[in-house]
Amino acid sequence: AKKRCDHPEVLRVILSRLIEYGVTLNLEKCVFGVTRGKLIVYIISSRGINVDPAKIKAVLEMVPPSDESGIRSFLKKLGAIQRFIPDLSFAIHPINNLLKKYYNIDWTEDCNEAFNAI
């Protein structure tokens, strides 16, 4: 709700729709009436959706991966914050190519440039 006084009515509408369609909630994971909160890898607030700073720090502190599992781990971390990085799919193209069947896992200068750019 945009206004705090509208929150109970909006919540009532949403909960009635959940009941109507048979959707259940895990009450241990539900939080209502907060102005800021963490949801998966995002910080949700009145200012919008932002990435959790801990996730950004994890990506910034990574060293270039040296094997397939390291590359997959790196790409998975980027997947969580991809909406905040413009042209990410273009930027990681050299790294993605390493996971194709006919490519060897050979970390090239192009891969290094892509890694540093991100």
Side-chain angles (χ1 to χ4, degrees), residues 2 21 31 33 63-64 66 81 85 92 98 114:
K2 298 263 186 217
Y21 292 101
V31 180
V63 295
S66 58
I81 59 174
I85 304 173
I92 63 171
L98 296 177

Side-chain angles (χ1 to χ4, degrees), residues 96-110:
N96 264 337
N97 280 342
L98 296 177
L99 298 176
K100 292 183 179 176
K101 287 183 181 179
Y102 53 86
Y103 274 84
N104 291 330
I105 304 291
D106 184 23
W107 192 262
T108 63
E109 187 58 36
D110 286 344

Side-chain angles (χ1 to χ4, degrees), residues 29-86:
K29 296 182 178 182
C30 293
V31 180
F32 303 105
V34 296
T35 56
R36 185 171 191 264
K38 186 174 177 181
L39 178 67
I40 308 173
V41 297
Y42 305 110
I43 303 293
I44 313 293
S45 71
S46 59
R47 293 186 350 218
I49 301 172
N50 296 303
V51 179
D52 181 0
K55 300 300 177 190
I56 295 171
K57 184 178 178 190
V59 170
L60 291 175
E61 291 178 348
M62 284 192 75
V63 295
S66 58
D67 60 5
E68 182 178 346
S69 127
I71 293 168
R72 290 189 187 283
S73 173
F74 173 64
L75 294 175
K76 185 176 180 181
K77 287 177 182 170
L78 288 181
I81 59 174
Q82 69 185 358
R83 68 181 290 187
F84 301 98
I85 304 173

Side-chain angles (χ1 to χ4, degrees), residues 2 8 17 25-27 30 46 50 55 84 87 93 110-111 113 117:
K2 298 263 186 217
R17 285 191 185 147
L25 300 175
N26 181 343
L27 294 179
C30 293
S46 59
N50 296 303
K55 300 300 177 190
F84 301 98
D87 299 324
H93 186 71
D110 286 344
C111 295
E113 287 175 13

Side-chain angles (χ1 to χ4, degrees), residues 7-18:
H7 184 73
E9 179 58 25
V10 171
L11 189 58
R12 186 192 64 73
V13 170
I14 291 171
L15 292 175
S16 67
R17 285 191 185 147
L18 292 174

